[in-house]
Amino acid sequence: TLKAENVTPKGLTVICEQSGGENVAELDTGSYYFIQRYDEEWTNVEYLPQEYDIGWTSEAGIITKDSSVSWDIDWEWLYGKLPAGKYRIGKEIMNFRETGDYDKETVYAEFIIE
C-alpha cells in the first residue's frame, strides 16, 4: 500500500508498506512518480516547462517483505506549488521474484491540499 503524509503544496512523504501477498520476495521502485488531480475524473497534472528533458533514475528502491519504506518527494521543480484540491501520487512498483520473473503495478496514495 502507498500512503501520503506531511502534505504541503510543494511535496509530501510517501510511505510504501509491503505485507502478505503470494510469491513476494521484495518490491522495487525507481525515482519516477506522477501526480493526478481529481475533477470528476483523475487527470495528470502538467509539468512546468523544463529547459532539458526530465531524467528519471532507475535505481532500485527496495521494500523487503513485511516492511515499509518512506521517501520525501519535492515536486516544486516539476509541477510548481499545487493549488488546493484532491490529488493522488502514483508510483510503479515491481514485485521481483528472480531474473525474468516479476510483475509491475502502479499504486496510488490520495491526498488533499487545503
Side-chain angles (χ1 to χ4, degrees):
T1 59
L2 213 58
K3 292 191 282 187
E5 293 184 351
N6 307 319
V7 176
T8 74
K10 300 187 308 181
L12 52 69
T13 301
V14 170
I15 299 170
C16 183
E17 295 181 340
Q18 191 287 322
S19 64
E22 294 182 28
N23 301 317
V24 176
E26 69 182 31
L27 301 178
D28 300 323
T29 188
S31 66
Y32 174 71
Y33 65 88
F34 59 93
I35 305 290
Q36 295 180 325
R37 182 183 170 104
Y38 188 78
D39 286 315
E40 297 183 27
E41 65 181 5
W42 291 107
T43 56
N44 289 333
V45 175
E46 291 190 32
Y47 294 151
L48 294 172
Q50 303 288 318
E51 183 176 353
Y52 300 102
D53 289 337
I54 298 167
W56 298 101
T57 57
S58 60
E59 78 278 357
I62 297 173
I63 307 107
T64 57
K65 190 169 184 160
D66 296 320
S67 70
S68 67
V69 176
S70 65
W71 300 280
D72 291 324
I73 296 179
D74 178 351
W75 61 64
E76 189 173 20
W77 68 276
L78 188 59
Y79 296 106
K81 290 183 181 178
L82 297 179
K86 181 177 180 178
Y87 296 89
R88 70 181 181 179
I89 186 168
K91 283 197 65 64
E92 188 175 80
I93 306 290
M94 180 173 58
N95 177 9
F96 180 82
R97 292 173 288 276
E98 61 182 57
T99 302
D101 184 13
Y102 61 88
D103 300 310
K104 289 184 181 179
E105 183 176 342
T106 301
V107 293
Y108 300 92
E110 293 184 15
F111 59 95
I112 302 286
I113 295 179
E114 297 181 4

